Amino acid sequence: MIDDDALDGRLFRARPDTPLRGAPLTGEQEELLASIMASAGVARPRRARGSKTVLERWSLAAALLLVLVVVSATVSVWPVQTSHAVAVTPRALQIQPLQGNAENLLLELSESVAAAAEPRPATTIRFEFWGLALSPQGSSVSMQPHETLLDYRSDGSTAVETRALQALAADGSPVDDPDARDAGELVLWHLYKKGEAVGVFSKPSLDTEWGSLLREGERLPADADAAGYFRAVANLLSEHPLSGSEQSELVRFLATLPDIHVEGELIDRLGRPGVGFVAPDGDYRRMLIISPELGVLAYELVYTGSSRTDVPSPAVIDYKAWY
């Protein structure tokens, strides 16, 4: 039987973006999914409204993946064919074009973040996240974001809590979906004791070599592209709170990466202004939204291909927003 550390590593290395609809899981993925569902006591993706699922002993990697498995189950999980399922996805963010190249703008943002940096180190992480969901009955009724809070306590322990947020229509308006969790419903909770690793990334510091840290935590090759680093940044920020100075240095590292395009000025999904930077990734593009005061605000994966029938193109596949 696989031990916790080995399973945790496999889960983080196997964190795929939502696969193409209809694509079968590999044998390893089927085995991994079955072990997660069995260990958490989940018999099937669908659930009765109002039921509680509190995971008191689970790794952060497995716990967050389980949340997405339950609310964003892929086609191979469902016992019925979903060839005509259409997912509800968020509206695209409105972009205002911005002059300048990515390297120079990122360096400017790094300087402004450093100037606005709080003197006290951060001890908490709070973020909203959402992933593409398909309905086995046809068109999805809603999309449901979740919120996770990590509290790094003075005694060395770390508390992790995830709650469901209000189910929404594509335009962001509230929806009464009988299959959605109640807003505020506790999905998982866990207390990591002092010395227990919350995730797989090393804790950053001001003298961190960011390229090495991101490659090691995300299992990226030495010649990783900007898209891989963007994904790693999103996962790092979901594990470790960064000080303003560390955020500044992280943004400065991003300025060294090739093939980053300036998307423009925008307002993120939590109503905050920032600048969007995009890294192409095949049929997808990954975007980091960076604030001149706070650093990285949000991450989005957007589908831009032409082979999917469950979502339009372009379509947001998942996002995270830290606050």
Side-chain angles (χ1 to χ4, degrees), residues 24-256:
L25 296 179
T26 66
E28 182 179 19
Q29 289 170 334
E30 291 280 9
E31 179 184 354
L32 179 59
L33 177 57
S35 68
I36 294 172
M37 302 295 276
S39 297
V42 180
R44 59 187 183 276
R46 295 186 65 79
R47 54 182 292 280
R49 187 174 186 176
S51 65
K52 308 294 183 182
T53 304
V54 182
L55 307 181
E56 297 181 349
R57 180 63 180 169
W58 201 252
S59 71
L60 178 61
L64 295 182
L65 180 57
L66 177 62
V67 172
L68 292 178
V69 165
V70 173
V71 302
S72 308
T74 56
V75 169
S76 61
V77 175
W78 301 108
V80 295
Q81 182 54 255
T82 57
S83 59
H84 299 294
V86 178
V88 176
T89 61
R91 283 184 174 177
L93 297 173
Q94 298 299 305
I95 309 293
Q96 295 295 325
L98 183 63
Q99 297 298 318
N101 65 55
E103 180 181 359
N104 290 340
L105 286 173
L106 286 166
L107 289 174
E108 291 175 9
L109 287 168
S110 173
E111 294 297 329
S112 65
V113 171
E118 290 285 343
R120 293 177 298 175
T123 58
T124 61
I125 304 173
R126 187 187 297 272
F127 62 92
E128 177 179 314
F129 68 100
W130 171 87
L132 179 67
L134 293 173
S135 167
Q137 306 302 324
S139 298
S140 299
V141 174
S142 69
M143 56 186 185
Q144 184 164 41
H146 287 68
E147 178 190 67
T148 289
L149 171 66
L150 285 79
D151 181 14
Y152 282 81
R153 300 176 173 181
S154 58
D155 63 2
S157 64
T158 305
V160 180
E161 174 182 296
T162 294
R163 293 183 180 273
L165 299 178
Q166 173 65 50
L168 303 171
D171 63 2
S173 60
V175 172
D176 184 14
D177 183 350
D179 290 327
R181 294 181 181 275
D182 295 327
E185 180 179 337
L186 183 63
V187 179
L188 64 89
W189 185 89
H190 179 61
L191 180 67
Y192 292 89
K193 298 178 182 178
K194 182 178 181 179
E196 282 189 287
V198 176
V200 298
F201 286 90
S202 301
K203 181 176 174 56
S205 64
L206 282 179
D207 60 354
T208 290
E209 204 294 294
W210 291 96
S212 296
L213 184 147
L214 293 169
R215 287 193 301 273
E216 181 179 349
E218 196 66 20
R219 305 300 194 270
L220 297 174
D223 60 349
D225 58 13
Y229 282 113
F230 275 30
R231 185 180 69 244
V233 166
N235 290 324
L236 168 68
L237 294 177
S238 302
E239 290 184 11
H240 292 292
L242 301 188
S243 68
S245 298
E246 290 164 350
Q247 280 274 6
S248 172
E249 291 303 311
L250 175 58
V251 174
R252 181 174 294 275
F253 165 74
L254 295 175
T256 68

